[in-house]
Amino acid sequence: MTRLRILHHPDPRLRTKATPVESFDVPLGVFAKNLLETMYAAPGIGLAATQVNVHKRVIVVDVSEEKNQPHTLINPTLKTYGNRIKGEEGCLSVPEIYDVVERFEHVDVTAQDIQGNTIEFTAQGMLAICIQHECDHLDGKLFVDYLSSLKRGRITKKLRALSNSRER
Ligand code: GNR
Ligand code: NI
């Protein structure tokens, strides 16, 4: 059981664009397992490698009630379509902040599994929202980027103060 450390906004490392996974080796499997454990422990419904300072294109999600439907997606690409739906989002890298973000209702996902096999599926609802949120992380994007600059500025200031108070 290894819990990885989650970076908090405004840490500049969260802005790194992740690079594709090329080796589907044992260390990748170990990392994916640790990412999933870290997500469940947090607790969260998704986690991207970027958030634990690993800049490779790996995400994990589990939106099930029972927490028994993990998806590990390597090198995910999305085709989004349909209506835009508003939902309240939070992020483990933006602690204690929740706000409404618009996402697409549907996504076609193409990714690889831990062995490098191609997987394709369609998602909607919370799974679609979560996958869009996680894929944004891999491109260095956070949900607060969709908010007004006024709101984002307030959030950044608040989290900076919080991290300073924890350091000292
Ligand atoms: O745990 C999480 N909940 C959540 C709720 C609404 C929309 C997205 C999310 S993802 C978040 C975990 C996280 O930060 N993943 O990157
Ligand atoms: Ni997040």
Side-chain angles (χ1 to χ4, degrees):
M1 174 83 195
T2 307
R3 282 177 66 173
L4 308 169
R5 230 186 129 84
I6 298 175
L7 302 175
H8 288 171
H9 175 71
D11 192 313
R13 293 172 290 184
L14 287 167
R15 300 312 191 164
T16 311
K17 186 171 165 68
T19 58
V21 169
E22 283 166 2
S23 336
F24 293 81
D25 51 10
V26 170
L28 177 67
V30 172
F31 173 68
K33 184 169 168 283
N34 291 338
L35 197 60
L36 207 50
E37 284 177 1
T38 304
M39 178 192 79
Y40 284 129
I45 60 171
L47 194 62
T50 309
Q51 292 176 275
V52 297
N53 201 29
V54 173
H55 302 290
K56 288 281 165 192
R57 304 190 79 82
V58 180
I59 68 171
V60 292
V61 298
D62 187 347
V63 300
S64 72
E65 205 73 44
E66 319 279 315
K67 298 285 159 219
N68 59 0
Q69 287 169 50
H71 298 264
T72 298
L73 303 178
I74 316 291
N75 300 329
T77 60
L78 303 186
K79 207 179 96 200
T80 54
Y81 55 95
N83 296 323
R84 260 134 278 204
I85 47 168
K86 287 185 178 155
E88 182 156 275
E89 296 199 13
C91 180
L92 295 169
S93 295
V94 191
E96 291 161 48
I97 307 288
Y98 302 89
D99 213 325
V100 175
V101 174
E102 274 193 12
R103 300 281 185 188
F104 289 92
E105 192 172 8
H106 299 274
V107 282
D108 288 343
V109 182
T110 303
Q112 284 167 286
D113 69 13
I114 206 72
Q115 274 110 36
N117 305 306
T118 299
I119 46 179
E120 289 184 292
F121 60 97
T122 296
Q124 59 177 338
M126 202 60 211
L127 183 59
I129 291 169
C130 189
I131 289 173
Q132 290 170 74
H133 175 117
E134 301 317 330
C135 287
D136 273 355
H137 278 300
L138 300 182
D139 291 327
K141 193 164 173 112
L142 298 173
F143 86 90
V144 296
D145 299 347
Y146 296 102
L147 307 179
S148 69
S149 60
L150 177 66
K151 274 192 180 177
R152 191 168 50 256
R154 286 178 179 152
I155 291 165
T156 303
K157 197 173 160 192
K158 186 172 164 184
L159 292 187
R160 223 178 240 132
L162 203 66
S163 95
N164 286 341
S165 74
R166 279 176 185 155
E167 270 163 28
R168 285 158 200 177

